Amino acid sequence: MRRFSHFLWAGIVCLLLAFSGMRVAAADEFSGLESGQFNTIADTVSALVASGNPRAGDVIDALEKRHLFYSPAGGIFIRTGTTYVDARTGQSVQNMPEDLKPVRMNNHVRQVLASANAELELLSPEDAVRVKAATQMYAQHNPVMLPAINHALAREKSSDVRMKLEQAHAAILLAQPAQSGQEATRLAAVKMLGSAGDLEARGLLSVVAASDHEAAEVRKAAAETVSSIDLKQRVWSVLQNAFYGLSYGSVLLLAATGLAITFGVMGVINMAHGELMMIGAYTTWMVQQGIRATVPWLEPVSLLVAIPVAFCVCGLLGILIERGLIRFLYGRPLETLLATWGLSLILQQAIRSIFGPTNIAVVTPAWLSGSWMIGSVDITLNRLAIFVFAFLVLGALMLVMRKTSLGLEMRAVTQNRRMAALMGIRTPRVDALAFGLGAGLAGLAGVAVSQIDNVSPNLGQSYIIDSFMVVVFGGVGNLWGTLAAAMTLGMGGKILEPTIGAVSAKIAILVLVILYIQRHPRGMFPVRGRGVES
């Protein structure tokens, strides 16, 4: 009997061992999610990320969205709409247990989830994804992210990603209260944030420099780094404004080349030139609306279609203005100025009556949206395109002026009108074509300005005075002078505006131009010729 009891107990022990062995064998990196203990769930999430299991991302995402469930009888499931899939395999489950319970969550688990998500992104094979994840960690400087950053630094090979990770590590370290014995580590973190040199780094370093709990050497290093960042930011700000000035100068270049031709060839002060720009911008809008209504598949290139249309519309309108008004006023510059000023008011009111007084939206195509970052300078594609477009137009205009009979006749009339007429050049025809060419260039300026400014009936008034200054400052009738003056005034104004204000910058530029013209009345690049010099 005693021997039988020994056998019975031995059998029970074997069954218990076998059962526990089955439970251990069934346990895996997912099993801790079935626990009711928050610490166990948090540790399981961390272990799941470290395991490299391909299902880890889906499980962590489901847990974060509260779509992760477990059954006390065994099994972990992800709810997808009205169905469930097995968390371990990803396969759909038809017969679901009825005793499902959601995996438990608290703030500690949420913090671990945030770190886990960041670490999963840092495991991406694409450098751009890892850089983006490191940049987000740098901006958040959440201490929960430190384990993920340390794990990523241990295996990261890309120098760009390592730099961002080290900056994120330094930001998190400096965002925490200072403790004794950390001086060397915090000094290294200050140096690392100095290499970042952005406003986020400056904000953290300013707090460190002003803290009474920091060591003296750490405060001094932080203050010096803040001063260095301020200097760099001022330099980048000047470069950013210079880029804005280039795009503004490009618009002035397009507008002023038309004025340089009409004023240089015909001696006409066309105060309606700004309104021709405005008509070019409205033509761009009408082309976009027409393409959208008739051939919508051409909408991505509607801006390109608007370029020749605006040139032709404004050019033909310019010829009509010259034949119907200007040709009766040659030799009387004051009357020409007053007549074109009155014409500008008529054109403004006509556009206001047709399209309304409010702004209209000219859509920037998708291929001109976005930007590139060079350091801290934001190079927007639409402004860069305007810059390139202005130089292409200037190059085409120079070819016309130098390689065509019309250009030769225009240059002859510019230098000596009477001699050109005696040589058989029909100056009235040249005048009409020159005015039409200048008006067409104003239309191209309108296409360009529609991408960076509001399109309204008052659009031209914002550019006409600056365009005249460009023509006079650069030298009447000289395209190289127009280029130099447009870029000088455009960049100069934009660089001065943040320092002294927009109005004061305009006044300062005007005063400088007046002082220069007093010393050089014919501008930077004066046109030479018998008629001009006599």
Side-chain angles (χ1 to χ4, degrees):
M1 189 67 180
R2 183 176 296 176
R3 182 176 295 178
F4 175 76
S5 63
H6 284 310
F7 279 115
L8 180 62
W9 280 109
I12 292 172
V13 169
C14 289
L15 287 174
L16 290 174
L17 288 175
F19 179 75
S20 63
M22 289 173 61
R23 294 290 295 177
V24 171
D28 57 12
E29 60 265 29
F30 295 90
S31 299
L33 298 173
E34 303 174 11
S35 171
Q37 301 296 322
F38 292 118
N39 289 337
T40 303
I41 295 172
D43 293 342
T44 302
V45 169
S46 300
L48 194 58
V49 174
S51 70
N53 191 302
R55 296 289 306 159
D58 292 339
V59 171
I60 289 172
D61 182 63
L63 177 57
E64 191 172 28
K65 295 178 179 177
R66 307 304 303 270
H67 291 170
L68 191 65
F69 298 83
Y70 74 95
S71 171
I76 305 172
F77 308 94
I78 298 174
R79 186 176 64 196
T80 57
T82 58
T83 61
Y84 289 82
V85 298
D86 191 302
R88 291 179 170 88
T89 64
Q91 296 179 353
S92 178
V93 179
Q94 300 298 329
N95 299 320
M96 289 298 303
E98 297 180 357
D99 56 350
L100 286 184
K101 296 182 179 180
V103 176
R104 301 186 70 188
M105 285 273 285
N106 68 351
N107 288 335
H108 175 53
V109 176
R110 290 188 184 92
Q111 290 178 344
V112 174
L113 278 174
S115 178
N117 278 324
E119 190 163 359
L120 285 174
E121 289 183 343
L122 291 174
L123 290 173
S124 171
E126 298 181 9
D127 289 356
V129 175
R130 300 200 304 278
V131 167
K132 181 180 178 181
T135 303
Q136 290 176 346
M137 293 179 180
Y138 169 68
Q140 295 169 354
H141 42 80
N142 188 340
V144 175
M145 303 297 180
L146 274 177
I149 293 175
N150 291 330
H151 291 159
L153 281 171
R155 62 177 178 267
E156 186 57 61
K157 297 180 180 180
S158 169
S159 58
D160 292 338
V161 181
R162 284 193 66 86
M163 175 64 72
K164 278 297 179 184
L165 287 170
E166 289 170 354
Q167 290 173 357
H169 188 279
I172 293 172
L173 180 63
L174 290 179
Q176 307 309 307
Q179 298 179 5
S180 60
Q182 288 187 335
E183 288 79 8
T185 305
R186 293 179 78 83
L187 279 173
V190 168
K191 183 178 179 181
M192 178 56 63
L193 285 189
S195 67
D198 55 14
L199 295 178
E200 186 70 31
R202 187 195 183 284
L204 286 171
L205 292 171
S206 298
V207 174
V208 172
S211 175
D212 296 332
H213 303 289
E214 291 285 353
E217 61 267 27
V218 177
R219 291 202 307 269
K220 181 181 178 182
E224 291 175 350
T225 307
V226 167
S227 300
S228 175
I229 290 175
D230 287 341
L231 177 60
K232 290 179 181 178
Q233 289 296 323
R234 284 195 291 269
V235 172
W236 285 119
S237 178
V238 169
L239 294 176
Q240 182 71 73
N241 290 323
F243 173 69
Y244 291 153
L246 282 177
S247 60
Y248 181 70
S250 300
V251 174
L252 290 182
L253 174 62
L254 290 170
T257 47
L259 279 178
I261 290 173
T262 56
F263 193 33
V265 175
M266 306 159 62
V268 172
I269 303 174
N270 180 17
M271 295 299 294
H273 196 76
E275 278 57 50
L276 292 170
M277 279 182 61
M278 176 259 294
I279 291 173
Y282 273 91
T283 301
T284 304
W285 179 80
M286 286 191 292
V287 168
Q288 283 192 343
Q289 297 301 311
I291 287 178
R292 183 177 301 169
T294 56
V295 280
W297 56 273
L298 274 179
E299 190 172 355
V301 295
S302 60
L303 190 66
L304 298 179
V305 177
I307 291 174
V309 175
F311 179 83
C312 293
V313 169
C314 293
L316 291 174
L317 182 59
I319 293 174
L320 291 175
I321 292 172
E322 195 279 335
R323 289 288 85 190
L325 179 64
I326 303 298
R327 70 188 181 98
F328 302 109
L329 302 173
Y330 287 136
R332 292 180 286 174
L334 181 59
E335 285 85 345
T336 304
L337 186 150
L338 292 174
T340 53
W341 178 65
L343 178 63
S344 72
L345 298 179
I346 294 172
L347 292 175
Q348 283 185 47
Q349 189 57 46
I351 293 296
R352 190 174 286 109
S353 300
I354 297 172
F355 298 99
T358 58
N359 297 341
I360 61 172
V362 176
V363 179
T364 299
W367 51 273
L368 277 184
S369 302
S371 62
W372 296 329
M373 290 299 296
I374 300 179
S376 295
V377 178
D378 188 14
I379 307 296
T380 54
L381 293 182
N382 58 344
R383 291 180 179 272
L384 184 62
I386 290 172
F387 178 74
V388 174
F389 176 62
F391 275 82
L392 290 176
V393 171
L394 182 65
L397 182 60
M398 286 184 172
L399 287 176
V400 170
M401 297 296 290
R402 296 178 181 276
K403 301 297 182 180
T404 66
S405 58
L406 174 62
L408 179 63
E409 292 174 353
M410 288 173 60
R411 286 188 288 135
V413 172
T414 301
Q415 293 182 12
N416 194 315
R417 175 177 288 271
R418 291 175 59 191
M419 184 62 71
L422 291 173
M423 294 297 294
I425 296 175
R426 293 183 294 170
T427 55
R429 171 181 171 274
V430 173
D431 290 337
L433 294 177
F435 201 92
L437 178 60
L441 292 172
L444 296 182
V447 176
V449 81
S450 69
Q451 299 302 299
I452 60 172
D453 205 346
N454 295 323
V455 178
S456 70
N458 299 321
L459 172 65
Q461 299 300 305
S462 305
Y463 294 90
I464 186 64
I465 302 300
D466 288 348
S467 299
F468 272 115
M469 279 202 301
V470 166
V471 172
V472 176
F473 184 42
V476 176
N478 190 298
L479 295 181
W480 288 114
T482 303
L483 170 62
M487 294 304 161
T488 301
L489 296 183
M491 293 178 64
K494 291 299 182 182
I495 291 174
L496 287 176
E497 279 181 10
T499 305
I500 61 177
V503 176
S504 299
K506 291 279 188 183
I507 295 173
I509 292 294
L510 180 60
V511 170
L512 292 174
V513 170
I514 291 172
L515 293 176
Y516 184 87
I517 294 299
Q518 284 184 335
R519 296 292 300 270
H520 305 277
R522 302 214 319 263
M524 290 189 291
F525 294 83
V527 176
R528 298 186 179 277
R530 292 181 181 272
V532 173
E533 295 173 352
S534 59

